[in-house]
């Protein structure tokens, strides 16, 4: 007796109409081809997605591809734009030239006018407008022993003093029917201008003159002008001399004055001397 499962299967399929064998085989072959095509298409799509992602990633790192040039004519190389490049912003600076500054530009530790040239500008010297009426001006080196350094030759004992670090100097003289004035401005290297002022003080306080009637002295120290300002004088063998010495930064101005100039009169000249020196130094 057949098993119960086979009996039930026979009963369920007893009245079914079966397709011919050839038709069943054709359907199987068709289904196999469709399955293979679907698998192939799925593979193509997957490869395309991977390639697209790689191109996008590479584009983010390396920028857009180089454009293809036309085949005709002489091609002009076109640079590949950088992914990190930024379009230039429009300039907000006016094209109208700025007005020149009212005073020379200054850079710390250097001469004024933005230059490393140690030359002393004419504007750093006394001008006729700083002096009483009747003076005329002559520029250039002045011969003779008019400078305060000449005092040292009359000292049988004097402190050791050497004016070191001179970079440049300029001299100008003023004359009137009754008076004369000579100014010399020296530019020193760093720190030597202040040392020069100390040397002037030491010379005029420590000089031991040869004759009993001769003497040197600091007549005033601190005239309220520049970084330092003093009036020194000598009386050598009956010849009296006075010098105003003013320091402004790395510049030292020495002015030979009238033989009877008092500290009060020296203060009158010390202020314009210091103000003029500001045109040649960056410390004002």
């Amino acid at each position: 007796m057949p098993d119960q499962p086979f009996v039930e299967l026979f009963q369920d399929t007893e009245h079914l109409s079966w397709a011919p064998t050839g038709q069943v085989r054709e359907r199987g072959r068709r289904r196999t081809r469709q399955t293979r095509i679907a698998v192939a298409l799925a593979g193509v799509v997957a490869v395309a997605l991977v390639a697209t992602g790689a191109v996008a990633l590479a584009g983010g790192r390396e920028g857009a591809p180089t454009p293809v040039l036309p085949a005709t004519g002489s091609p002009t190389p076109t640079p590949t734009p950088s992914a990190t490049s930024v379009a230039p912003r429009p300039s907000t600076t006016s094209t109208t030239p700025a007005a020149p500054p009212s005073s020379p530009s200054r850079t710390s530790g250097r001469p004024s006018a933005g230059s490393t040239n140690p030359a002393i500008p004419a504007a750093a010297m006394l001008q006729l407008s700083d002096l009483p009426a009747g003076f005329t001006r002559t520029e250039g080196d002045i011969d003779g022993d008019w400078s305060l350094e000449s005092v040292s030759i009359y000292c049988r004992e004097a402190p050791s003093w050497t004016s070191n670090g001179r970079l440049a100097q300029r001299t100008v003289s003023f004359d009137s029917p009754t008076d004369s004035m000579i100014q010399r401005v020296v530019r020193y290297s760093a720190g030597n201008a202040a040392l020069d002022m100390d040397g002037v003080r030491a010379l005029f306080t420590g000089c031991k003159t040869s004759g009993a009637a001769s003497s040197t002295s600091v007549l005033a120290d601190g005239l309220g002008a520049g970084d330092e300002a003093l009036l020194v004088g000598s009386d050598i063998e009956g010849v009296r001399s006075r010098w105003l010495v003013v320091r402004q930064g790395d510049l030292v101005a020495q002015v030979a004055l009238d033989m009877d100039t008092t500290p009060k009169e020296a203060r009158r000249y010390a202020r314009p001397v210091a103000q003029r020196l500001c045109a040649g130094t960056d410390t004002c």
Side-chain angles (χ1 to χ4, degrees), residues 49-132:
L49 290 175
V50 171
T52 303
V55 170
L57 181 60
R61 291 196 307 264
E62 301 177 3
T66 304
V68 179
L69 300 176
T72 60
S74 299
T76 301
T78 304
T80 302
S82 173
T84 58
S85 63
V86 180
R89 299 181 180 177
S91 175
T92 57
T93 305
S94 172
T95 56
T96 304
S102 57
S103 59
S105 63
R106 299 193 174 120
T107 306
S108 178
R110 297 181 178 180
S112 63
S115 171
T116 57
N117 184 357
I120 298 162
M125 311 297 291
L126 278 172
Q127 307 297 314
L128 286 173
S129 58
D130 301 322
L131 307 179

Side-chain angles (χ1 to χ4, degrees), residues 132 134-136 174-181 256-259 261 269:
F135 276 89
T136 59
F174 301 91
D175 293 295
S176 75
T178 59
D179 200 3
S180 66
M181 184 182 300
L257 299 171
D258 182 73
M259 64 179 66
T261 301
Y269 291 114

Side-chain angles (χ1 to χ4, degrees), residues 212-275:
S214 299
S215 63
T216 61
S217 61
V218 176
L219 301 175
D221 194 344
L223 298 174
D227 294 328
E228 299 177 80
L230 60 148
L231 177 68
V232 296
S234 68
D235 191 344
I236 306 295
E237 299 178 356
V239 178
R240 188 177 300 172
S241 302
R242 297 289 184 268
W243 294 273
L244 171 66
V245 190
V246 180
R247 181 178 74 84
Q248 191 76 277
D250 58 349
L251 297 180
V252 175
Q254 176 186 145
V255 184
L257 299 171
D258 182 73
M259 64 179 66
D260 294 320
T261 301
T262 65
K264 182 178 180 179
E265 293 169 335
R267 184 175 285 106
R268 173 193 170 191
Y269 291 114
R271 291 171 182 171
V273 167
Q275 290 171 357

Side-chain angles (χ1 to χ4, degrees), residues 147-149 159-169 184-205 218 221 228-230 232 243-255:
S147 67
L148 60 81
E149 289 88 349
S160 176
W161 170 48
T162 304
S163 188
N164 293 321
R166 293 191 178 196
L167 300 178
Q169 70 177 37
R184 184 183 68 195
V185 175
V186 178
R187 187 185 303 282
Y188 290 88
S189 57
N192 283 295
L195 293 176
D196 186 72
M197 296 293 290
D198 292 339
V200 172
R201 293 185 182 93
L203 174 62
F204 280 81
T205 57
V218 176
D221 194 344
E228 299 177 80
L230 60 148
V232 296
W243 294 273
L244 171 66
V245 190
V246 180
R247 181 178 74 84
Q248 191 76 277
D250 58 349
L251 297 180
V252 175
Q254 176 186 145
V255 184

